[in-house]
Amino acid sequence: MLDIFRPAVAEWFASSFPEPTRPQALGWPRIAAGEHTLICAPTGSGKTLTAFLWSINRLTADAPPAGTATRVIYVSPLRALAFDVEKNLRAPLAGIALAAERRGESFHDVTVGLRTGDTPARDRQAMLRRPPDLLITTPESLYLMLTSQARRTLADVDRKSTRLNSSHTVISYAVFCLKKK
């Protein structure tokens, strides 16, 4: 199952967890194949890591081409952001970096940005100048970005690299897409 990931990612996962959860085992092959995937499972079953890990796998493999903007967006309700970022993004990135170093593999240091309604103007401006590789945002902030100059920082996001967390987010995103038409 872990053979779809680069060796450093697989090593980190195997040293951190006894085995993939059911959502991970069913979701990763489809996500890796570029399919639209809905992971529906109880809290604590690994849904967020299921969504993040394939993106982490891709982003840490190689540095982005020069001038590349944000490549992955993760849309989540505000209440879940801090926990999701720490547990399912920063910890895996640190562990995968160590595994890559031990293995002598290349590792691109992934930049992560957090954009919410509370993001100070100076931080929003910094994201315009140097967009993060992976942006974590709320549905409301995504809407504001898409209707402002910030939308140019999202030009390199592949539709298959957008992760939505929770039915609230899916509904908000769908409403936004309908309004956009």
Side-chain angles (χ1 to χ4, degrees):
M1 157 61 33
L2 296 177
D3 59 343
I4 63 171
F5 294 100
R6 58 186 294 228
V9 174
E11 180 182 307
W12 167 80
F13 187 89
S15 69
S16 301
F17 302 98
E19 63 186 7
T21 63
R22 182 168 166 75
Q24 293 162 344
L26 295 173
W28 284 331
R30 289 179 168 80
I31 294 168
E35 296 176 19
H36 295 283
T37 308
L38 175 64
I39 307 294
C40 185
T43 299
S45 61
K47 290 185 304 289
T48 303
L49 185 58
T50 302
F52 271 137
L53 200 59
W54 184 254
S55 294
I56 291 170
N57 185 69
R58 285 188 16 231
L59 292 172
T60 59
D62 298 302
T68 300
T70 296
R71 297 185 288 161
V72 175
I73 298 176
Y74 184 77
V75 185
S76 180
L78 183 59
R79 62 184 160 74
L81 284 176
F83 183 73
D84 285 348
V85 170
E86 194 56 44
K87 180 180 177 200
N88 295 299
L89 186 59
R90 296 198 194 282
L93 283 171
I96 293 165
L98 291 172
E101 184 179 348
R102 277 192 307 272
R103 299 180 63 81
E105 287 182 25
S106 66
F107 179 84
H108 170 66
D109 191 24
V110 176
T111 57
V112 178
L114 180 63
R115 169 77 190 259
T116 70
D118 296 333
T119 302
R122 70 178 180 282
D123 293 347
R124 293 193 310 266
Q125 290 300 313
M127 276 190 234
L128 286 174
R129 288 188 298 279
R130 173 117 170 69
D133 295 313
L134 193 153
L135 174 67
I136 300 166
T137 190
T138 61
E140 298 80 8
S141 290
L142 177 60
Y143 174 80
L144 293 174
M145 290 182 74
L146 291 171
T147 57
S148 71
Q149 281 188 319
R151 73 179 161 273
R152 67 181 167 78
T153 67
L154 306 176
D156 292 332
V157 173
D158 181 338
R159 278 183 316 181
K160 295 175 183 170
S161 295
T162 302
R163 310 288 184 239
L164 305 173
N165 179 2
S166 87
S167 58
H168 168 270
T169 303
V170 173
I171 292 166
S172 296
Y173 188 74
V175 168
F176 167 77
C177 291
L178 290 172
K179 286 182 179 178
K180 189 175 173 185
K181 290 183 178 184

